[in-house]
């Protein structure tokens, strides 16, 4: 194994290893692997500047940029994408919006 995958080999399954072999993925592959909606993956990929269009039709997402962005967001918030923060008393914090 190349890179740092060997450090997590006890936690990886065949799906993880297959996904890690590719530098790019399509929306459908990202939806299945990350278990996020297409809208969420599109938003995150745009924020990460990881979207590549081929011939104006096929859209690919650069995995390294996308995952680095996911990690940076997780480190900032302590939550994964799409996870709402709970305020005191258990109510959901919407940033002042109701």
């Amino acid at each position: 194994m190349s890179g740092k995958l060997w450090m997590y080999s006890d936690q990886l399954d065949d799906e993880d290893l297959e996904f890690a072999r590719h530098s790019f993925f399509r929306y459908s592959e990202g939806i299945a692997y990350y278990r996020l909606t297409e809208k969420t993956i599109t938003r995150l990929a745009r924020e990460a500047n990881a979207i590549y269009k081929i011939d104006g039709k096929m859209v690919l997402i650069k995995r390294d940029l996308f995952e680095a962005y996911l990690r940076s967001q997780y480190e900032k918030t302590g939550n994964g994408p799409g996870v709402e923060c709970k305020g005191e008393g258990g109510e959901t914090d919407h940033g002042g919006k109701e």
Side-chain angles (χ1 to χ4, degrees), residues 25-28 30-31 34-53 59-62 66 69-70 81:
F25 63 90
R26 293 186 176 101
Y27 285 125
S28 60
I31 290 167
Y34 294 107
R35 293 175 178 84
L36 297 172
T37 64
E38 183 175 354
K39 185 176 180 178
T40 302
I41 287 181
T42 302
R43 179 179 55 84
L44 292 171
R46 281 192 183 136
E47 290 173 3
N49 294 318
I51 294 178
Y52 291 80
K53 291 187 179 181
V59 176
L60 298 175
I61 300 170
K62 185 152 177 79
F66 186 77
Y69 182 75
L70 287 179

Side-chain angles (χ1 to χ4, degrees), residues 44-91:
L44 292 171
R46 281 192 183 136
E47 290 173 3
N49 294 318
I51 294 178
Y52 291 80
K53 291 187 179 181
I54 310 295
D55 296 330
K57 294 181 181 180
M58 184 187 328
V59 176
L60 298 175
I61 300 170
K62 185 152 177 79
R63 185 180 54 83
D64 292 344
L65 293 174
F66 186 77
E67 289 185 352
Y69 182 75
L70 287 179
R71 279 191 295 278
S72 72
Q73 293 303 305
Y74 183 79
E75 289 169 359
K76 282 183 188 176
T77 64
N79 296 317
V83 177
E84 296 180 1
C85 298
K86 296 281 185 182
E88 275 191 44
E91 69 273 1

